[in-house]
Amino acid sequence: MGCSSVSRRRSVALSVHRYSVAASNKIKIEMSKLILVSLTLVWCLWGVVEGFTYDDKEVETEEGKSAMFERWRSHHNMQAMRDKDKKKAVRSMNKFAGMTNAEFKSKHTGLKAAPKIRPGKKFVSEAEWPSNFKYRNFTDIPPSVDWTAQGAVTPVKDQGQCGSCFAFATADSIESLHWIKTKQLVELSPKEILDCSSVSPYTNIGCDGGRMHDSYQYVIENKGLTTEKNYPYTPEFGTCNVKKENDMVVEIHGYEQVPFNHEQSLMAAVANQPIQVSIECDEPLVLYKEGIMSAPYGTNIGHAVLLTGYGTDPDGTNYWIIKNSWGVEWGEKGYLRIPRGVPEKEGYAGVNMTPHYPTIEDRGSDHQAGGDPIVQGSKDL
């Protein structure tokens, strides 16, 4: 009985060992499948999974798993961890990749819908608000424009974790108009707009966002802006520095809107000066790296940027050129190209919906005083 007992124990031990090995192999297979499924789901989130399939038998051997991984990697072009839209745009894992959509918008955009006010403080809708347009009769529209290449645009900056896009877009548009009139490129202070247009009677709310109307109106009524050097930017809302605020360098007297949802008018305006526009800010734009955007996109505008030109790609794709305020490591050294000439009247990402620009004419309208930008004497010029 002793030998029989030992034999049975050995048999049981062998069975347990075989079961353990089998279970271990099964776990490895299941883990391999889980890893591959997880990787596929990750790439699905980036919008690049296009029909990749596999058979369960492929993960039952090391050779099968290895071959499938190579096929998966080739299918999704893992090199440099980036992907391409169906046409051109390349996206990448940038500094915003780990943020939720709501978190991103609360910290890195900042444009608020603007109630419009006529004399008598009557609130009216966007469509009711009258707007002159100085370039209405401009017909000599060139096939391409690039104000940055001409030297009319200051370097790209980074608004950081503060909803201050409205301040940057306002300062950017005034800087470019100033260059067009004087050929002097002066970096103006978005921080002054952030701090000083967020107090009564203006309705901007610091890093929680602001409106283009209040931003331009502040500059007009303050008789100008000081320089970035004098009032440097930090991504936080602070008390308006009155001393620095009063050291004005560039003065404007008014601003206008381009007719809503009219691309030809927007082209005429951009042919004459860089234009502030509002766009929707969502994936895939947040992860944009280079090229011309082509993924389907909405028109829920919430981010103010500067339209600095337009052109046509060698393959015939028309595009707009946009200066952003997310730093030079984002996009094409801080710039973005989006399609121009899309069927939707609002334009790609809503670019045609609410363009603004500082103006030098049309005295007497209800939101403009008119007049040329005035350059004040300053050591910073």
Side-chain angles (χ1 to χ4, degrees), residues 34-51:
L34 178 61
I35 290 170
L36 286 165
V37 170
S38 298
L39 287 170
T40 303
L41 287 174
V42 167
W43 281 97
C44 185
L45 289 174
W46 299 122
V48 295
V49 173
E50 297 177 359

Side-chain angles (χ1 to χ4, degrees), residues 154-314:
T154 61
V156 170
K157 301 177 181 67
D158 190 345
Q159 69 185 77
Q161 294 191 23
C162 174
S164 55
C165 65
F166 63 94
F168 281 88
T170 303
D172 284 346
S173 64
I174 297 172
E175 290 166 347
S176 294
L177 177 60
H178 173 66
W179 183 91
I180 290 169
K181 297 301 176 182
T182 69
K183 295 302 182 285
Q184 294 177 317
L185 193 61
V186 181
E187 293 188 45
L188 300 175
S189 175
K191 177 65 168 169
E192 178 186 343
I193 300 172
L194 176 66
D195 291 348
C196 303
S197 71
S198 297
V199 296
S200 181
Y202 312 106
T203 61
N204 290 344
I205 45 179
C207 285
D208 289 328
R211 302 173 172 88
M212 298 311 302
H213 170 77
D214 288 278
S215 304
Y216 281 118
Q217 202 64 35
Y218 163 76
V219 180
I220 294 166
E221 295 174 0
N222 189 58
K223 306 300 182 185
L225 275 178
T226 192
T227 63
E228 167 67 15
K229 180 179 178 181
N230 184 48
Y231 202 152
Y233 182 75
T234 55
E236 57 190 355
F237 171 56
T239 302
C240 178
N241 189 316
V242 177
K243 182 178 179 180
K244 293 182 177 182
E245 175 191 39
N246 289 331
D247 185 17
M248 288 84 69
V249 174
V250 176
E251 180 179 353
I252 64 168
H253 290 149
Y255 71 99
E256 285 188 350
Q257 287 184 313
V258 177
F260 307 131
N261 301 332
H262 196 270
E263 184 169 276
Q264 193 71 6
S265 294
L266 185 54
M267 285 183 67
V270 177
N272 285 276
Q273 66 185 91
I275 304 297
Q276 178 273 318
V277 294
S278 306
I279 59 174
E280 178 171 346
C281 188
D282 211 335
E283 281 196 71
L285 188 147
V286 173
L287 301 178
Y288 170 81
K289 176 61 178 176
E290 61 186 26
I292 303 171
M293 292 284 294
S294 61
Y297 220 66
T299 56
N300 185 24
I301 57 176
H303 185 51
V305 291
L306 188 70
L307 194 57
T308 61
Y310 57 83
T312 302
D313 197 65

Side-chain angles (χ1 to χ4, degrees), residues 65 67 73 114 137 155 181 218 231 256 265 322 324 360 380:
K65 287 184 287 185
R73 184 171 62 176
N137 297 319
K181 297 301 176 182
Y218 163 76
Y231 202 152
E256 285 188 350
S265 294
I322 288 174
N324 204 348
I360 63 173
D380 293 309

